[in-house]
Amino acid sequence: RLLESGGGLVQAGGSLRLSCAASGRLFSSTPMAWFRQAPGNERDFVAWINPSGLRTYYADSVKGRFTISRDNHLDTVLLQMNSLQPDDTAVYYCASNPVGAYFKPEYTNWGQGTQVTVSW
């Protein structure tokens, strides 16, 4: 089970940190990812992190602004989002246990999502 938190309303240029708390014994052995979905759009890849936390991938649109990290002792994955822009407005989802390519929304476990709204 995955539970996201940390979303909210922020002005352009601001920052937010999303958190995803996982329950279960296999957290430290599974890759984790963040996706986002804006109204009328598909669910898009944002960031991915391997089980050890030493390897990460990012969507081009967030590279250099967002940072994914994890704490395997606390079973938590974080997404630090800086220099936020209105185009970043979406519901952000945490996902685990991919069954396809890391950048495709083909994961078996999803959180309920947390809304991020960036205003001018």
Side-chain angles (χ1 to χ4, degrees):
R1 182 168 173 253
L2 304 174
L3 183 63
E4 301 98 335
S5 61
L9 174 64
V10 64
Q11 287 188 325
S15 299
L16 282 175
R17 189 176 74 167
L18 305 184
S19 179
C20 173
S23 59
R25 295 177 293 172
L26 301 179
F27 178 82
S28 62
S29 63
T30 185
M32 300 292 295
W34 287 94
F35 286 77
R36 66 186 181 185
Q37 188 167 20
N41 289 2
E42 296 181 347
R43 192 166 295 190
D44 294 328
F45 169 73
V46 175
W48 175 94
I49 189 166
N50 76 331
S52 70
L54 297 180
R55 188 156 50 105
T56 57
Y57 296 121
Y58 296 92
D60 287 343
S61 59
V62 307
K63 203 172 294 183
R65 300 187 298 123
F66 291 11
T67 302
I68 188 172
S69 61
R70 65 190 297 160
D71 186 328
N72 286 343
H73 296 292
L74 297 178
D75 290 354
T76 300
V77 63
L78 302 175
L79 185 68
Q80 178 66 43
M81 305 185 296
N82 298 329
S83 301
L84 283 161
Q85 299 300 316
D87 284 350
D88 295 316
T89 295
V91 177
Y92 283 70
Y93 296 91
C94 175
S96 69
N97 196 26
V99 295
Y102 71 88
F103 54 87
K104 293 185 177 180
E106 298 170 356
Y107 288 67
T108 61
N109 299 323
W110 293 89
Q112 84 291 347
T114 185
Q115 176 70 47
V116 171
T117 303
V118 185
S119 64
W120 286 111

